[in-house]
Amino acid sequence: MKIFIDPPNSLILFDLVERFGHEPLGAMAPIQDRIDKIELDMPPMNVTLDDVVKGLKYAGIEVPSGIRGRLALWGPLIDIADAAITMSEPPFNFGCVGCERSNEMVRYLIRRRGIPHLIIGYPEDGDEAKAVVGQIKEFLEGLK
C-alpha cells in the first residue's frame, strides 16, 4: 500500500514505512523528478506553469505561493495514498515543519480523502520512541 508521510521529508517515517513492507510517499521523489528535468536548469527558478496549476487544485489563488508550491508537490501524493502517517508537534529539525499553514492544508487534504490516518506524537525519550514504532507497525499491519 502507498502511505503518505507527514512531514513529507522525514527519513525516519520513510524508513519505517518501507521496513514494514509499504511504499512511502514523501517529498524526495517529486523533488528528484524536478531536479532531473532538463527544463529546470537553474534553481531557484524551479517552478513550471504546470506546478502553479497543480497547486491551484489544492489551494486558492489567495493562498501564499509557498503553500501552493508545497501542495503542488504533496497534493498529488495525498491523492494516490492509501493511508497516511502524521507526526504531530515535531521539532523544527524533524522534516519540513516550518510552515504551519502548509501543515494544516496537508492534514485537511488527508481528512478530506477519508483514508486511514495515524497521528502520532513526537517521542521525547527512548520509551516513547519504542511506543511510536509499535504504533506505526500496528497501524501498517492493520492495513493489509
Side-chain angles (χ1 to χ4, degrees), residues 60-121:
I61 191 71
E62 71 281 356
V63 173
S65 60
I67 295 172
R68 281 195 323 270
R70 287 178 184 92
L71 294 178
L73 290 174
W74 303 334
L77 297 176
I78 295 169
D79 287 346
I80 64 170
D82 299 310
I85 298 174
T86 297
M87 178 77 65
S88 65
E89 302 301 322
F92 281 106
N93 61 355
F94 184 88
C96 181
V97 297
C99 180
E100 186 55 30
R101 297 302 162 253
S102 294
N103 296 338
E104 288 174 5
M105 290 296 293
V106 164
R107 289 188 296 264
Y108 168 73
L109 292 172
I110 292 168
R111 279 193 315 273
R112 188 173 77 178
R113 283 271 335 273
I115 57 177
H117 184 200
L118 174 66
I119 301 172
I120 50 177

Side-chain angles (χ1 to χ4, degrees), residues 2 7 12 24-25 28 43 45 47 50 54-55 69-70 72 87 90 94 104-105 118-119 121 131-132 134 137 139:
K2 296 178 180 184
I12 294 168
L25 299 174
M28 296 72 134
M45 302 302 287
V47 177
D50 290 340
K54 278 184 196 174
R70 287 178 184 92
M87 178 77 65
F94 184 88
E104 288 174 5
M105 290 296 293
L118 174 66
I119 301 172
V132 163
K137 180 180 183 213
F139 175 73

Side-chain angles (χ1 to χ4, degrees), residues 37 39-40 45-53:
K37 282 185 181 178
E39 66 189 63
L40 301 178
M45 302 302 287
N46 57 0
V47 177
T48 65
L49 181 58
D50 290 340
D51 294 329
V52 173
V53 172

